[in-house]
Amino acid sequence: MSILNEMSEALQKGKKKEVEELVTKAVGEGFTPKQILEEGLLAGMNIIGTRFKANEVYVPEVLVAARAMNAGIALLKPLLVSSGVQPLGTIILGTVEGDLHDIGKNLVKIMMEGKGINVVDLGVDVPADRFIEAAKEHDAKIICASSLLTTTMMKMKEIVDKARAENLSVKIMVGGAPVNEEFAKSIGADMYKDDAASAADYAVTCFQ
Ligand code: B1M
């Protein structure tokens, strides 16, 4: 079995220490951070997602898999983030109110930091007002909101509405598994991106 398959399997079993060892080993063997992330960690999490949907695994199993995933991502972070870059500017990032999913948000943060962007990470379960206050406080160019639940997607509209009501000069980017371009347009968001790397690429264009 290839090391990336081993990593995917260890992640599915929630074996955090094993995932950390395999990430370190894969780096040593010359796999790129992108390969490790996509073919090892995300591949394992996708399988967990499918099995979760089919009721073959339950919240506790998903939670330990998520912990293993975050541990693997933490090891990759220094490799994904280039060093010595002056911050281009600031963005506000968070998972919307009612939503506790943070893996995608954390990836967005890593990719943004990798492009030299200063990220104010508000965490999870963030009310619309907090996004707005933080954007004002940090004079941010973009508010980046993540949502993983169909039940919390509409919280993104609250952010857009509040920002427009206050005439804030800030762009609003949305993303997350249930979000798509059509939804983003329907709530008046400025941008939708379906993966963390594209989100960071777009952010860079806002600072030019
Ligand atoms: Co949750 N969960 N979960 N869960 N969970 C989903 C999202 C679900 C699709 C599973 C399923 O049924 N197949 C489903 C949602 C269904 C729906 O709304 N239609 C679901 C559910 C129902 C729930 C609970 C309600 C379950 C329950 O309690 N009965 C509950 C809700 C808790 C809450 O938030 N209030 C719940 C809980 C959990 C755990 C806590 C166990 C855990 C989260 C742990 C954590 O995040 N620390 C968890 C997990 C891990 C998942 C799945 C399996 C994986 C999500 C993930 O991290 N994917 C997920 C199934 C799935 O998505 N296949 C599922 C990897 C991550 C990298 O992807 O976040 O999509 P993602 O990010 C992507 C892109 O979307 C994009 O970039 C990333 C790729 O580069 N992206 C952005 C994300 N944000 C972006 C922002 C941007 C741009 C791009 O710009 C701003």
Side-chain angles (χ1 to χ4, degrees):
M1 195 194 301
S2 88
I3 187 167
L4 298 181
N5 283 340
E6 267 184 70
M7 197 184 294
S8 161
E9 296 221 336
L11 184 141
Q12 290 168 53
K13 291 177 189 146
K15 295 188 172 171
K16 177 171 168 264
K17 204 162 171 272
E18 210 172 295
V19 168
E20 287 172 333
E21 283 164 7
L22 287 164
V23 168
T24 306
K25 195 169 163 207
V27 170
E29 288 186 10
F31 287 93
T32 64
K34 189 168 184 284
Q35 274 177 310
I36 298 170
L37 180 65
E38 290 178 359
E39 296 168 37
L41 302 176
L42 282 174
M45 188 49 89
N46 281 339
I47 295 171
I48 280 288
T50 309
R51 299 191 63 207
F52 188 33
K53 194 170 182 180
N55 289 322
E56 290 170 8
V57 295
Y58 299 96
V59 172
E61 286 101 319
V62 182
L63 210 46
V64 287
R67 277 196 202 125
M69 169 117 191
N70 275 328
I73 288 177
L75 287 176
L76 286 182
K77 186 174 171 179
L79 303 172
L80 292 163
V81 176
S82 55
S83 57
V85 187
Q86 283 298 311
L88 290 177
T90 298
I91 64 126
I92 307 298
L93 174 67
T95 302
V96 299
E97 188 173 8
D99 200 325
L100 303 175
H101 295 85
D102 69 356
I103 297 173
K105 172 191 72 64
N106 293 342
L107 271 181
V108 171
K109 181 177 181 181
I110 290 172
M111 297 300 170
M112 293 278 182
E113 289 178 343
K115 297 279 181 190
I117 294 167
N118 179 40
V119 178
V120 177
D121 182 0
L122 302 177
V124 297
D125 191 16
V126 182
D129 283 336
R130 284 265 291 127
F131 281 98
I132 303 296
E133 281 158 22
K136 286 195 248 175
E137 185 187 334
H138 297 278
D139 192 20
K141 260 261 167 30
I142 322 174
I143 290 177
C144 298
S146 181
S147 162
L148 265 284
L149 299 170
T150 44
T151 48
T152 59
M153 284 162 77
M154 285 315 278
K155 294 288 173 185
M156 293 172 156
K157 183 171 180 335
E158 263 182 48
I159 301 170
V160 176
D161 290 348
K162 282 177 194 278
R164 305 301 182 231
E166 295 204 24
N167 246 331
L168 267 193
S169 165
V170 65
K171 290 199 186 296
I172 297 169
M173 172 158 56
V174 294
V179 183
N180 58 30
E181 191 136 20
E182 198 186 344
F183 173 77
K185 277 196 183 130
S186 77
I187 61 166
D190 296 288
M191 186 49 67
Y192 158 76
K193 288 292 175 191
D194 70 351
D195 69 88
S198 313
D201 287 341
Y202 166 71
V204 168
T205 66
C206 297
F207 293 107
Q208 283 163 352

